[in-house]
């Protein structure tokens, strides 16, 4: 089972990310992405989906035209874990 990040380990992990914020009322992080059009947004989602499947760790997300909203949390850990930090970095690289 994946362990939940807490204390200084959590703070250090979050410090490695840019533009991600904590979700109010949840142990999760979120980020919004805006693209030129739907095709760019969808291409981004495909790249993220392939990486998420390979990592066996899947985001919560929504897409409206050129915007993609992503929330990351590890459900079996009960909150934010190293899996979320790793996937956030992959997501940022895909953007």
């Amino acid at each position: 089972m994946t362990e939940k990040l807490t204390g200084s380990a959590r703070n250090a992990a979050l410090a490695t990310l840019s533009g991600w914020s904590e979700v109010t009322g949840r142990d999760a992080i979120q980020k919004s992405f805006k693209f030129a059009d739907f095709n760019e947004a969808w291409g981004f989602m495909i790249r993220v989906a392939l990486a998420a499947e390979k990592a066996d760790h899947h985001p919560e997300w929504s897409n409206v035209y050129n915007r993609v909203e992503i929330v990351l949390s590890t459900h079996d850990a009960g909150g934010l874990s190293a899996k979320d930090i790793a996937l956030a970095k992959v997501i940022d690289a895909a953007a």
Side-chain angles (χ1 to χ4, degrees):
M1 183 168 150
T2 304
E3 289 188 33
K4 183 174 165 177
L5 287 171
T6 60
S8 61
R10 177 190 177 91
N11 293 336
L14 289 173
T16 67
L17 302 177
S18 178
W20 290 85
S21 60
E22 295 186 65
V23 177
T24 303
R26 283 187 66 187
D27 193 3
I29 55 175
Q30 65 184 1
K31 189 170 182 179
S32 299
F33 296 86
K34 187 173 182 181
F35 299 92
D37 55 28
F38 179 77
N39 284 337
E40 280 192 23
W42 193 255
F44 164 74
M45 291 177 71
I46 290 169
R47 291 188 299 277
V48 171
L50 292 171
E53 187 65 18
K54 184 176 179 181
D56 193 29
H57 188 58
H58 306 91
E60 298 173 29
W61 58 8
S62 64
N63 164 243
V64 177
Y65 183 59
N66 66 337
R67 292 177 289 122
V68 179
E69 307 287 330
I70 299 179
V71 174
L72 299 176
S73 183
T74 304
H75 301 287
D76 66 347
L80 196 66
S81 78
K83 285 184 172 184
D84 301 304
I85 303 303
L87 186 55
K89 290 177 181 179
V90 169
I91 290 168
D92 284 342

